[in-house]
Amino acid sequence: MKHLKNAIVNRKDIVSARILLNVLEKADPDGLVHAVCVAEISKIIASGAGLDKTGRTELWLAGLLHDVGKLGVPAEILNRKKVSKSDKRYLRKHVSIGRYMVDRFFSGGALGRTIEAHHERHDGKGYPRGLAGEDVPFDARIIAIADYYDTARSAGWLLTHRSHETVMKEINDLAGSQFDPALVKAAIAKSVDIQVVHKSVHGARARDLIKWL
């Protein structure tokens, strides 16, 4: 896991990341592919936004672990093709579960705050706290765009697969409401790179990605 070693200085945190990612790979291989893709796309958007290398590395780790809280959601809910309102309320808890897990596995609190906030919106209509604008952690604002892109591009749970061009237009249309307009601009400027990394990650198997990490 050389990429994890490059992203994490603290040896205990490296061990923690390995444990969580190996559990994720066994429980939800598609979830691991999604996590890697979100991490890589987040790093691309961050480079377009001018974030320095150290900042991009910290963001990459947050992207990798952004959905780790879903390990605390019953599989029968995650695998349902149709979800009820109560299921949706339960699913939303994954961000708080993720923060709880990360705060206890890792040193420092910024990583947990980012993971908890990745479903907040620029207009304050997100969850779990209804944060808006710059009150949403910067890294979480980037991960929100990357997460939307990969979820919309990947055929599967509750959503219909959409083309790269369609999803990028959707992201652009959501600037100022769901997403930070400046970061949307950075994502659009890196559109080609995002498309390339999405194809590359989704062309790999989860077991190969866990070795690559």
Side-chain angles (χ1 to χ4, degrees), residues 23-106:
V23 171
L24 180 60
E25 190 267 332
K26 295 292 188 296
D28 182 12
D30 289 341
L32 179 67
V33 174
H34 172 65
V36 173
C37 198
V38 168
E40 291 295 309
I41 291 173
S42 294
K43 192 166 63 172
I44 290 170
I45 296 171
S47 69
L51 195 64
D52 63 28
K53 186 175 181 180
T54 300
R56 293 198 301 271
T57 299
E58 293 169 353
L59 168 68
W60 179 83
L61 180 61
L64 196 62
L65 297 173
H66 78 284
D67 269 347
V68 72
K70 287 184 177 178
L71 291 171
V73 177
E76 59 266 26
I77 293 178
L78 289 174
N79 294 330
R80 283 176 187 161
K81 298 300 181 184
K82 293 184 179 180
V83 293
S84 65
K85 289 183 178 179
S86 62
D87 289 338
K88 288 181 179 180
R89 286 195 295 270
Y90 204 112
L91 282 166
R92 286 188 170 195
K93 293 181 180 179
H94 81 275
V95 294
S96 299
I97 295 170
R99 178 173 184 175
Y100 179 88
M101 293 170 68
V102 167
D103 281 350
R104 278 147 187 79
F105 270 91
F106 293 84

Side-chain angles (χ1 to χ4, degrees), residues 182-193:
L183 294 176
V184 167
K185 185 176 180 180
I188 290 172
K190 293 288 186 177
S191 175
V192 173
D193 293 339

